[in-house]
Amino acid sequence: MPKRDFRRILDFSTDEVRHVLELARDLKREVATKRFTPRLKDRVLAMLFEKPSLRTRCTFEIAMIQMGGTAIYLGPSEIGIGKRESVYDIAKNLERWFDLVMIRTFAQKNVDELAQHCSLPVINALSDFSHPCQVMADFLTVLEKRGSFDGFKLAYLGDGNNVCHSLLAMTARLGTELRIASPKAYAPQTQWLDEIRDEAKRTGARIVVTEDPAEAVRDVEAIYTDVWASMGKEAEAQARRSVFEPYQLNAALARGARPDAWIMHDLPAHRGEEITDEMMDSPRSIVFDQAENRLHAQKAIMVFLDERRA
Ligand code: CP
Ligand code: NVA
C-alpha cells in the first residue's frame, strides 16, 4: 500500500474524511477516563515549524504523548527549509529516523515536495495556501454539535486565505454550503475556486462568493472568520484594516444569520479587528471547542496515515 499524506483536504475522499471524523470522536471519548490506547506506540513525529504556533504545536505534541509516541520540535532557526538545506535533502534525512512528519511552512510547494520525496506520511500543519488540520477539527466540532452535515450552511467573512481555501475543500467534499464574503482583491484564489466547483458538482455542495457580508450571513447556521493579515503578511496589516472593516464579525452583522448561529474562529483572534469581544465571548461562540478538537482530529489523522504506511 503506498504511503498516504494529508497535504490538503482533497487528499482524503469523502468516505475517508467521514472515517477520520468518526475515529476522532472515538479517540476523544478516551479523554474522560484518561485511559489512552497507545495507537502510536514508539512512533516519533517530526514537527517542522517555519512560523509560530500555540494550538498546532501543543496539540500535535500532546497527541503523540497520549498515544504512546514522541514528538520532536524543529523551529525556524533549526531547519532553514530550502535555505540551509533543500526540501529533498530534508526529506531524505527525516525518513531515516522518524515515522511521521508534520510541517508548517510558507509555500504549499514545500509541503508537496516534502511529501513527494519523503517515504513517511506528511501532514500539512498550515501553509500560505491551506490549513487542512484546522478545518478537520472545525468540522468535527460541527458534527458534534449537530449530529450530521445534512443541510449545513456556513458563512466565512474576510480574507480568502489558507483557512478559507480549506473550508472550500471540505464543503466540496461533504456536500454542504459555504457562503464567502471578501473584499474583491482578497477573494479566494480563482483557480482553486474552479477546482472546488468541479468537486462541488459531484457532491451537491453549494459555494457562494460575494463581496457583501450581509448576503453571506443570511440564514446561515454558523459564521466563521479569521485574521485579516495572516502570518507573513504582517506588513500589510495597517493597509488591510480599512478594506476589511465592513467584514468584522459583530453583533449587527450576526443578526442577519439564524438567531442561534454559532460563531467560529480558528485562532489566534485579533479581538476588535475581525471579531468583537462580544462575539468571541458570546454563548454561541464555539471557538475554544474548535481549538480543543485540533487534538482529537489530528490524533485521528495520524492514526489513519500510520495504518496506511508503506
Ligand atoms: N489555529 C492555529 O493553527 O493556531 P496556531 O497558529 O496557534 O497553531
Ligand atoms: N490565516 C491564519 C491562520 C492562523 C492559524 C494565518 O495563516 O496566519
Side-chain angles (χ1 to χ4, degrees):
M1 195 159 41
K3 67 113 181 186
R4 297 284 303 276
D5 304 294
F6 189 53
R7 301 165 306 145
R8 57 192 88 213
I9 294 288
L10 296 185
D11 282 348
F12 288 4
S13 68
T14 302
D15 284 348
E16 286 170 343
V17 168
R18 288 185 184 277
H19 168 79
V20 166
L21 291 172
E22 285 309 322
L23 179 57
R25 291 180 94 176
D26 289 346
L27 295 170
K28 187 169 179 176
R29 284 189 198 104
E30 298 184 347
V31 174
T33 56
K34 288 264 177 198
R35 294 232 172 98
F36 298 107
T37 315
R39 304 252 197 162
L40 294 179
K41 190 167 161 34
D42 298 330
R43 301 281 198 268
V44 189
L45 169 73
M47 303 196 298
L48 278 55
F49 278 92
E50 271 194 319
K51 297 179 179 181
S53 169
L54 169 65
R55 281 146 291 274
T56 304
R57 180 183 176 175
C58 292
T59 50
F60 269 105
E61 205 160 326
I62 294 168
M64 287 308 285
I65 294 167
Q66 292 182 342
M67 293 195 292
T70 311
I72 294 183
Y73 172 82
L74 296 155
S77 56
E78 275 109 354
I79 344 161
I81 300 169
K83 296 183 194 99
R84 183 170 183 267
E85 202 160 1
S86 71
V87 175
Y88 177 89
D89 288 354
I90 294 170
K92 292 295 156 202
N93 279 266
L94 295 178
E95 68 187 21
R96 299 294 175 113
W97 312 313
F98 288 94
D99 301 287
L100 292 151
V101 181
M102 179 236 89
I103 176 168
R104 167 167 285 195
T105 186
F106 290 89
Q108 174 78 29
K109 181 168 72 70
N110 289 339
V111 182
D112 295 339
E113 274 183 27
L114 192 64
Q116 183 190 345
H117 299 303
C118 191
S119 60
L120 308 174
V122 171
I123 299 167
N124 176 0
L126 182 145
S127 70
D128 289 346
F129 176 70
S130 60
H131 197 3
C133 291
Q134 177 67 50
V135 168
M136 192 66 91
D138 298 336
F139 274 71
L140 173 61
T141 313
V142 169
L143 184 62
E144 285 177 338
K145 304 258 173 229
R146 75 195 289 287
S148 89
F149 295 116
D150 296 346
F152 178 59
K153 276 190 200 177
L154 172 69
Y156 175 88
L157 303 178
D159 193 14
N161 62 13
N162 42 14
V163 170
C164 179
H165 286 157
S166 293
L167 287 172
L168 274 164
M170 191 60 110
T171 298
R173 270 292 184 254
L174 293 174
T176 59
E177 179 164 340
L178 179 61
R179 308 170 66 84
I180 299 169
S182 309
K184 206 178 176 74
Y186 298 96
Q189 285 178 16
T190 316
Q191 202 188 327
W192 184 237
L193 273 174
D194 291 345
E195 213 177 301
I196 288 301
R197 285 202 164 108
D198 279 348
E199 172 63 15
K201 272 187 212 134
R202 201 184 61 77
T203 60
R206 262 180 65 81
I207 313 271
V208 175
V209 181
T210 170
E211 284 177 61
D212 179 1
E215 187 194 334
V217 301
R218 196 169 304 137
D219 209 27
V220 295
E221 276 174 71
I223 314 174
Y224 198 127
T225 192
D226 186 17
V227 290
W228 293 336
S230 284
M231 291 181 275
K233 303 267 186 232
E234 290 83 357
E236 296 175 24
Q238 184 68 25
R240 284 175 175 237
R241 232 164 261 148
S242 53
V243 183
F244 280 100
E245 218 179 82
Y247 297 85
Q248 184 189 62
L249 177 43
N250 55 34
L253 198 52
R255 268 194 284 280
R258 292 197 193 168
D260 52 356
W262 293 309
I263 302 302
M264 301 181 73
H265 195 305
D266 50 289
L267 309 179
H270 293 164
R271 288 168 175 256
E273 290 189 20
E274 78 275 3
I275 189 165
T276 57
D277 284 332
E278 188 185 2
M279 290 290 97
M280 273 285 284
D281 303 327
S282 108
R284 298 301 298 169
S285 168
I286 57 172
V287 302
F288 300 116
D289 298 318
Q290 294 172 254
E292 178 188 345
N293 279 337
R294 293 292 301 278
L295 174 63
H296 313 297
Q298 287 156 200
K299 276 186 178 175
I301 292 164
M302 288 195 286
V303 168
F304 176 87
L305 294 175
D306 186 69
E307 284 170 354
R308 287 158 184 78
R309 271 199 323 165

